[in-house]
């Protein structure tokens, strides 16, 4: 019996499989058991399943049921369907402001929960991940940057320890902002983890905002409107951009994705610029991702 068939029988539902950016299977349809339209997400990893469940239970009343498919050891989360609508129009400063506001509310309202990923020991992880790369040229550049940051390790780690107190969304991007009941909302919480709030900005600024200074400024204004603030230093911000770049380089070494790899290169350009190392790909525009506060 297929997973879809098992779920449909258990939930007395007529489900349709939907395309989803993650590796999870997702379904939507009407359930006789719950007498409403439901959204079903099937996880291969228990940690992500528990994380998605825990965050939703803090933010809303969507969770209807959970169970394990013993035959495949997959974890099923059943929720009320939100009927989310993709954002297809170009991002405007007003939209960026609203995006910042929504993320600030997430950071303010979601509290640490049992089993949350702590996301610590970043220097050790940076060294291990950089050394794991097969491409010697990229590995060499990453280790060069890491050495420069390591020279200021004490200051960065002090900053991280003081401010890695936020539950991060973990995958902030345009694809995880949807229109729900006429309002902009964040969805998909399976990658939530502890960290510095600025970490949730990085891929959004580079990938979706394309380092557009007006969009970044509007987003930060929206974020600050809710009383949230970026308090880590630009040095620490630059280090966190570097950590994100390593992740992209690891991913694109396994899965070819030239546009995504170029974003990783832009992140490295920011780090080189901030650290005062001249690189041909480095330019002043890359510095707009950094937030300088008084």
């Amino acid at each position: 019996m297929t997973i879809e068939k098992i779920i449909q029988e258990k939930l007395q539902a007529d489900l349709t499989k939907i395309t989803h950016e993650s590796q999870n299977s997702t379904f939507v349809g009407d359930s006789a058991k719950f007498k409403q339209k439901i959204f079903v997400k099937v996880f291969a990893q228990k940690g992500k399943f528990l994380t998605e469940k825990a965050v939703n239970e803090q933010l809303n009343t969507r969770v209807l049921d959970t169970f394990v498919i013993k035959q495949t050891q997959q974890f099923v989360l059943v929720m009320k369907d939100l009927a989310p609508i993709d954002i297809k129009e170009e991002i405007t400063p007003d939209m960026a402001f609203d995006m910042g506001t929504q993320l600030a509310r997430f950071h303010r309202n979601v509290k640490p929960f049992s089993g949350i990923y702590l996301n610590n020991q970043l220097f050790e992880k940076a060294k291990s991940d950089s050394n794991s790369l097969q491409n010697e040229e990229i590995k060499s550049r990453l280790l060069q940057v890491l050495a420069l940051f390591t020279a200021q390790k004490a200051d960065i780690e002090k900053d991280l320890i003081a401010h890695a107190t936020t539950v991060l969304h973990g995958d902030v991007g345009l694809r995880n902002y949807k229109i729900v009941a006429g309002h902009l909302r964040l969805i998909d919480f399976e990658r939530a983890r502890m960290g510095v709030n600025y970490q949730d900005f990085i891929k959004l600024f580079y990938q979706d905002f394309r380092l557009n200074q007006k969009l970044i400024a509007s987003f930060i204004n929206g974020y600050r409107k809710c009383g949230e603030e970026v308090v880590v230093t630009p040095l620490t911000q630059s280090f966190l951009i570097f950590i994100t770049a390593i992740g992209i380089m690891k991913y694109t070494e396994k899965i070819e994705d030239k546009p995504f790899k170029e974003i990783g290169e832009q992140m490295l350009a920011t780090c080189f610029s901030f650290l005062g190392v001249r690189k041909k790909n480095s330019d002043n525009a890359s510095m707009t991702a950094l937030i300088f506060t008084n």
Side-chain angles (χ1 to χ4, degrees):
M1 187 181 294
T2 65
I3 294 171
E4 188 171 352
K5 188 70 173 176
I6 293 171
I7 295 171
Q8 289 194 134
E9 287 189 2
K10 186 173 180 65
L11 301 177
Q12 302 168 36
D14 180 18
L15 299 175
T16 301
K17 190 171 184 177
I18 57 177
T19 303
H20 197 266
E21 292 88 349
S22 73
Q23 296 179 342
N24 304 311
S25 298
T26 53
F27 305 88
V28 66
D30 294 309
S31 168
K33 179 178 180 179
F34 294 105
K35 297 181 174 58
Q36 61 182 288
K37 197 168 186 179
I38 60 173
F39 174 76
V40 182
K41 198 168 181 179
V42 183
F43 298 81
Q45 298 177 356
K46 186 177 181 180
K48 289 184 177 180
F49 159 74
L50 292 174
T51 296
E52 180 86 30
K53 177 177 178 288
V55 175
N56 273 286
E57 287 176 339
Q58 287 195 43
L59 292 177
N60 54 60
T61 58
R62 287 187 69 197
V63 178
L64 298 169
D65 194 11
T66 64
F67 58 91
V68 179
I69 301 175
K70 293 182 180 179
Q71 298 94 315
T72 58
Q73 277 300 297
Q74 290 174 292
F75 304 87
V76 181
L77 182 63
V78 184
M79 296 188 286
K80 300 173 186 177
D81 182 46
L82 292 177
I85 299 171
D86 292 342
I87 298 169
K88 296 182 179 179
E89 65 266 31
E90 185 178 344
I91 302 173
T92 63
D94 285 344
M95 187 188 300
F97 183 94
D98 201 4
M99 293 167 81
T101 299
Q102 290 302 315
L103 183 58
R105 289 173 179 165
F106 180 92
H107 286 168
R108 183 182 61 196
N109 293 329
V110 181
K111 306 304 179 187
F113 50 87
S114 177
I116 189 170
Y117 180 58
L118 297 180
N119 191 39
N120 52 12
Q121 297 183 319
L122 293 182
F123 273 92
E124 291 80 357
K125 190 173 189 304
K127 184 176 181 179
S128 174
D129 287 350
S130 296
N131 279 316
S132 73
L133 293 173
Q134 299 300 311
N135 186 305
E136 292 296 332
E137 188 272 333
I138 294 175
K139 180 194 295 189
S140 175
R141 284 194 290 134
L142 291 178
L143 291 173
Q144 179 189 0
V145 179
L146 179 59
L148 294 171
F149 280 123
T150 300
Q152 303 181 72
K153 181 178 178 180
D155 290 337
I156 294 171
E157 287 198 329
K158 182 180 178 181
D159 210 15
L160 291 173
I161 290 169
H163 301 298
T165 55
T166 300
V167 176
L168 305 176
H169 178 278
D171 193 16
V172 177
L174 185 62
R175 67 189 179 91
N176 281 330
Y177 280 98
K178 305 291 184 186
I179 303 298
V180 177
H183 299 282
L184 190 69
R185 294 288 184 265
L186 266 171
I187 65 164
D188 282 354
F189 310 127
E190 65 184 57
R191 297 183 184 276
R193 62 189 192 274
M194 294 302 298
V196 174
N197 59 1
Y198 178 79
Q199 288 174 272
D200 261 348
F201 305 169
I202 296 170
K203 282 199 286 187
L204 179 71
F205 287 180
Y206 283 86
Q207 193 164 21
D208 294 311
F209 289 1
R210 300 182 183 277
L211 295 179
N212 182 301
Q213 194 165 0
K214 288 184 178 179
L215 296 181
I216 291 172
S218 291
F219 177 91
I220 294 301
N221 287 338
Y223 189 80
R224 288 171 171 161
K225 181 188 176 184
C226 292
E228 299 297 304
E229 187 55 84
V230 178
V231 290
V232 290
T233 65
L235 170 63
T236 302
Q237 292 172 41
S238 183
F239 175 70
L240 293 172
I241 290 171
F242 173 60
I243 294 295
T244 308
I246 295 174
I248 291 174
M249 294 309 177
K250 280 188 66 180
Y251 175 85
T252 55
E253 186 168 84
K254 295 176 182 177
I255 300 173
E256 186 174 352
D257 186 337
K258 289 184 179 179
F260 198 37
K261 186 176 180 180
E262 287 174 4
I263 289 168
E265 291 287 357
Q266 280 188 302
M267 292 178 182
L268 288 179
T270 298
C271 298
F272 275 118
S273 292
F274 183 82
L275 294 166
V277 180
R278 283 191 168 273
K279 286 285 175 182
K280 64 180 180 180
N281 293 330
S282 181
D283 56 54
N284 291 332
S286 69
M287 298 294 283
T288 61
L290 298 174
I291 300 160
F292 293 84
T293 56
N294 296 324

